[in-house]
Amino acid sequence: MASEDTPTMAPPSTDSPISRDLREQDDLQGKDVLQQKDDGAAPRAWAIRLVTVGIVLAALNLRPAITSLGALLEEVRDGLGMSGSLAGLLTSVPPLCFAVFGVMAPRFAKRFGAGAVVCFGMAAITAGLIIRPYTGNTVGFLVASALALMGIAVSNVLMPVIVKRWFPDRVGSMTGLYSMALAAGTSLAAAATVPMTDGLGGSWQTGLAVWAALGAVALLAWIPLVRDRGPAEPAAPTRAGHATGDGLRITRSRTAWALAVFFGLQATAAYITMGWMAQIFRDAGVSASTAGILLAVTMVMGVPLGFVIPRVAARLPSQGPMVIALGVCGLAGYAGLYLAPASGAWAWAILLGISNCAFPLALTMVGMRARTGAGVAKLSAFAQSTGYLISIPGPLLVGVLYQHSGGWGVPIALMAALMVPQIVIGVFAGRNRTVEDELAPAS
């Protein structure tokens, strides 16, 4: 018989009032939890869709300021009375601005949020593109161009950060989407600027300013994300002595330096291609219109491959084999330009277009070589700013060699020679490691 001192030993009947009250309380608590999840899920899903659209629209705006000017450079020179040497320096202004302004992006993002800084970047691009055609002088044109390029620079650096923060399990696919949109904007501006200028009355001012409309659309998409700093970043797994993103001394990382040099060498090849490839074909006897189409073919190769390459790269522990494959395509393209520039022009354009897809590969590696959002921000800023500084002399040096050698043999040899260290450094940068773990002994 149970003692009167131990009445709790007997469980209450499932039909007792106590049990019914407990079940009703549990049901109410469960409903509250489900309701809270439902209330939080809808805004988050809506925000993720908006960020996806914002990434695509931002990427579309990261090159038209450059390629639209290239299409109308002769008209701009005549309209502003710009000297030939000054016009030649314009090819080095974008990487210089990317290096100077890009290094500031992580600090601004930490203080204001990455979304707010990208929104500012879209506003700067829009304002710069509206202002620069109507300044009336070279100095004003350069200042307004620098404003637009500043917006491009900070957005360039923060795109990998936003992808890592919002899509940590889809870095490859989202980087691919971003790279594909960037390539589409590049080729669209190169191909459509002159026809649009003719259709809008033939004014080069209107032909340049019209691209501000694309920036305004992107600005509208980023305004709702100004105060949203992204989903809470999960705590990165750490072991004793491992560095965290905020405390990284990124300049002490060999991987960071390898990424910076790889980024700089691929940017050098890209700017040389954009600035000089059409002229190489024209000097080989290809018509001006066909040379422009060949350049567009090279640029448009980044649309499909810019989506595929990051997705494949993200699934590989090491990206070295992809670096080698792209480098071999580049070497083959340069060999073709040297031996038979006119007869195999289409093949060389395609091969160099494939080789130029080292850019989305480099962006993917930036997202994979750091474990935390803060680490990605520092690595992205360092790799891109240092890389763009490395790329500045390339287009100018090609022009000097062309002028003094009287042909394209020596410049093409230089392009091919630069591809060799790009492959070697890229294999090193593609190793399966993170900068946080690499800097652990120093921390």
Side-chain angles (χ1 to χ4, degrees):
M1 180 179 293
S3 171
E4 293 180 358
D5 294 334
T6 59
T8 57
M9 295 296 293
S13 170
T14 56
D15 294 330
S16 68
I18 295 176
S19 298
R20 287 196 298 270
D21 290 344
L22 289 173
R23 288 200 304 271
E24 289 175 0
Q25 184 176 359
D26 289 341
D27 290 342
L28 288 174
Q29 290 176 347
K31 290 179 180 178
D32 289 341
V33 171
L34 290 175
Q35 183 65 39
Q36 290 172 3
K37 289 182 179 180
D38 291 341
D39 291 344
R44 181 57 59 204
W46 172 84
I48 288 176
R49 287 193 292 269
L50 183 59
V51 170
T52 303
V53 173
I55 288 173
V56 172
L57 290 174
L60 287 171
N61 281 276
L62 296 184
R63 292 299 180 269
I66 302 169
T67 51
S68 63
L69 175 60
L72 296 174
L73 184 57
E74 184 175 346
E75 288 78 5
V76 172
R77 287 179 55 189
D78 294 340
L80 297 178
M82 192 181 298
S83 67
S85 59
L86 185 57
L89 286 175
L90 285 177
T91 60
S92 294
V93 169
L96 177 62
C97 289
F98 293 166
V100 172
F101 296 122
V103 75
M104 306 176 187
R107 184 177 301 176
F108 291 148
K110 186 175 181 180
R111 181 172 181 180
F112 303 107
V117 178
V118 174
C119 185
F120 164 79
M122 296 300 106
I125 293 170
T126 304
L129 292 182
I130 291 176
I131 295 170
R132 75 173 180 178
Y134 303 105
T135 55
N137 58 75
T138 300
V139 174
F141 188 91
L142 290 173
V143 171
S145 294
L147 175 62
L149 292 169
M150 176 177 64
I152 295 172
V154 296
S155 302
N156 266 336
V157 170
L158 293 180
M159 281 296 108
V161 178
I162 290 170
V163 168
K164 182 79 169 183
R165 179 178 295 171
W166 283 90
F167 308 96
D169 56 340
R170 288 184 284 163
V171 170
S173 59
M174 291 306 300
T175 302
L177 182 65
Y178 157 73
S179 301
M180 183 175 65
L182 190 149
T186 303
S187 55
L188 178 64
T193 297
V194 173
M196 281 199 307
T197 301
D198 294 338
L200 294 171
S203 169
W204 64 266
Q205 289 95 336
T206 305
L208 291 181
V210 71
W211 292 103
L214 189 60
V217 174
L219 175 62
L220 292 176
W222 281 96
I223 287 175
L225 298 168
V226 166
R227 294 188 177 182
D228 196 325
R229 293 175 178 258
E233 184 177 321
T238 58
R239 294 183 291 275
H242 279 216
T244 60
D246 288 332
L248 287 178
R249 294 185 177 181
I250 202 71
T251 55
R252 295 186 177 182
S253 167
R254 293 182 179 180
T255 298
W257 277 105
L259 267 174
V261 175
F262 177 70
F263 196 97
L265 290 172
Q266 67 80 28
T268 299
Y271 281 104
I272 290 174
T273 299
M274 285 189 287
W276 295 108
M277 196 180 78
Q279 191 63 49
I280 294 174
F281 286 131
R282 292 184 67 176
D283 288 350
V286 178
S287 68
S289 59
T290 303
I293 295 173
L294 288 167
L295 179 59
V297 167
T298 300
M299 297 295 103
V300 84
M301 290 299 297
V303 177
L305 293 179
F307 183 71
V308 173
I309 286 176
R311 291 171 63 89
V312 176
R315 296 173 183 173
L316 299 175
S318 172
Q319 291 72 48
M322 299 191 72
V323 170
I324 295 172
L326 296 178
V328 169
C329 288
L331 290 172
Y334 291 135
L337 283 181
Y338 182 85
L339 297 172
S343 59
W346 293 97
W348 318 142
I350 292 173
L351 285 170
L352 291 174
I354 296 173
S355 178
N356 280 345
C357 289
F359 174 73
L361 179 59
L363 289 181
T364 307
M365 289 196 289
V366 167
M368 297 179 68
R369 296 289 89 87
R371 289 186 289 106
T372 64
V376 173
K378 286 191 173 184
L379 181 58
S380 179
F382 175 74
Q384 293 199 46
S385 297
T386 306
Y388 282 124
L389 279 176
I390 292 172
S391 71
I392 290 173
L396 292 175
L397 183 57
V398 167
V400 171
L401 291 175
Y402 171 62
Q403 181 177 353
H404 286 82
S405 66
W408 285 108
V410 175
I412 291 174
L414 172 66
M415 299 176 208
L418 290 176
M419 188 59 65
V420 176
Q422 178 178 320
I423 295 172
V424 175
I425 296 295
V427 170
F428 186 88
R431 295 181 303 169
N432 186 16
R433 61 181 58 195
T434 65
V435 291
E436 289 93 346
D437 294 338
E438 189 177 53
L439 295 173
S443 66

